[in-house]
Amino acid sequence: MDKFLLQQQVLERLAEDLLQTEQAARVAHETATHEENIAENKYDTLGLEAAYLATGQARRAEAIRQAMANWRQFRPRPYDASKGIQLGALVCLIDSEDKQQQFFLGPDGGSMKLLVGAQLVQVISSEAPLGRAMLGKCEGDEVSIQVAPVGQQFEVLWVH
């Protein structure tokens, strides 16, 4: 599986998210500033609520722009067994029920699932609990995370 193609898919998805978020921010801003939404009394809060929504959407758009910048600068390297799993690794984990999952460890802001051919690949950051637990591990190593009261165990099946 080509890591460059995965990176391009992440950037395409982020661009789509940015477009939707910017459109939502515009609609919320127009609603907040429309003359029909001027408050007539203290209970008339539609304009105020729309202004809060527009501000939140603008912040989300900026976060997406930052994630896109991080992903554009990102250069996945080939797996080096002497260093173990690092940022840019494509990892296959297997759980106790023999269920396999593939992960692409990337920069912040790209948490998503991608369909590559018939394979589902979960993109996670090294800041995510599972991403943090995988760092430095090698093929055959065990990866453990605690999710709420339940612990989960995986084995690293392969790394690219």
Side-chain angles (χ1 to χ4, degrees):
M1 192 173 303
D2 188 347
K3 294 178 189 181
F4 177 75
L5 291 176
L6 285 171
Q7 181 180 10
Q8 292 309 306
Q9 283 188 319
V10 169
L11 284 167
E12 288 170 12
R13 180 82 62 83
L14 288 171
E16 291 169 10
D17 290 350
L18 179 60
L19 192 62
Q20 290 176 353
T21 302
E22 287 175 337
Q23 182 178 4
R26 276 191 301 278
V27 169
H29 181 266
E30 290 168 6
T31 302
T33 57
H34 195 275
E35 63 184 43
E36 289 182 7
N37 294 328
I38 296 173
E40 295 176 5
N41 60 50
K42 68 179 182 179
Y43 301 108
D44 193 3
T45 61
L46 180 62
L48 181 62
E49 292 167 8
Y52 285 135
L53 182 58
T55 300
Q57 294 288 7
R59 286 183 184 145
R60 173 73 180 128
E62 185 53 38
I64 294 171
R65 281 188 204 93
Q66 183 61 50
M68 288 176 74
N70 293 342
W71 276 90
R72 280 188 196 110
Q73 294 173 359
F74 177 54
R75 300 291 177 258
R77 295 187 191 104
Y79 172 64
D80 180 352
S82 67
K83 293 181 180 178
I85 296 171
Q86 299 295 314
L87 200 62
L90 182 59
V91 181
C92 182
L93 298 180
I94 187 167
D95 65 16
S96 59
E97 297 171 0
D98 289 334
K99 181 181 175 196
Q100 295 182 21
Q101 297 178 57
Q102 292 184 22
F103 297 91
F104 183 46
L105 198 59
D108 286 343
S111 180
M112 62 185 68
K113 290 182 181 177
L114 300 174
L115 193 58
V116 182
Q119 294 289 353
L120 191 64
V121 178
Q122 175 72 46
V123 181
I124 61 173
S125 84
S126 59
E127 298 302 315
L130 182 58
R132 205 173 315 121
M134 284 193 291
L135 289 175
K137 302 289 186 184
C138 297
E139 291 179 2
D141 286 351
E142 193 171 280
V143 176
S144 303
I145 59 169
Q146 190 74 25
V147 180
V150 180
Q152 292 183 324
Q153 304 270 351
F154 303 94
E155 181 184 336
V156 178
L157 195 58
W158 53 257
V159 184
H160 293 283

